[in-house]
Amino acid sequence: MLHPIESSAPGAVAARRSPSGAVPQQHDHLDDNPWHTGAACRSDEAGLFFAPSKEPTAARLAREEQAKRVCARCPVLLECREHALAQPEPYGVWGGLTAAERRVVLSRRRRRDGELREVRRVGVERRIAG
Ligand code: SF4
């Protein structure tokens, strides 16, 4: 059985959704990224990182916690997390974060970037006004 980290190309998760909308059961990772070779989830059970269809909430929370425990001992957690944020990966646990948690991180980053742009803009205006 292929593990999440070995199943296919990055970014192909959504494309692999079934017509019924079911999400994949494995990470998409069959590319040249060197960080994949160190992934802790290469040797873990497939299916831990993605929700089966119609998964009850309590089961999802328990499964996500299990996946996060694997991520917590993973030597490439940060690389994986940044990959998932950059894609962005819409489903599954990546880099110790669920999809909802990644959306929060991305939202915070966008807000921070907006604030930094505003600080720079005000600084430039003050220099010009001089
Ligand atoms: S951080 Fe988690 S999902 Fe990412 S490679 Fe490591 S074990 Fe797999």
Side-chain angles (χ1 to χ4, degrees):
M1 179 186 315
L2 283 179
H3 186 267
I5 215 77
E6 302 174 311
S7 61
S8 70
V13 173
R16 288 177 42 226
R17 292 185 84 179
S18 72
S20 68
V23 296
Q25 299 302 302
Q26 301 177 327
H27 283 137
D28 283 359
H29 272 316
L30 192 62
D31 64 5
D32 297 329
N33 284 346
W35 61 267
H36 295 165
T37 57
C41 57
R42 289 179 77 91
S43 57
D44 267 279
E45 196 177 319
L48 191 57
F49 292 81
F50 291 95
S53 63
K54 299 180 182 171
E55 183 180 40
T57 301
R60 175 179 56 79
L61 294 173
R63 180 186 48 73
E64 287 174 347
E65 282 309 308
Q66 263 188 285
K68 287 179 176 185
R69 279 197 288 276
V70 175
C71 294
R73 63 178 167 78
C74 180
V76 295
L77 183 147
L78 292 179
E79 292 90 338
C80 176
R81 181 177 293 178
E82 288 307 317
H83 160 84
L85 291 167
Q87 286 298 308
E89 296 288 355
Y91 308 108
V93 173
W94 296 74
L97 298 177
T98 63
E101 290 166 339
R102 291 194 301 276
R103 286 193 293 275
V104 170
V105 170
L106 288 172
S107 170
R108 285 181 183 153
R109 284 185 180 181
R110 278 192 293 272
R111 191 171 58 237
R112 180 201 61 198
D113 291 348
E115 289 168 357
L116 285 172
R117 275 195 299 277
E118 181 63 11
V119 166
R120 284 191 206 105
R121 186 188 65 75
V122 169
V124 167
E125 284 179 1
R126 284 184 181 158
R127 278 198 299 275
I128 290 171

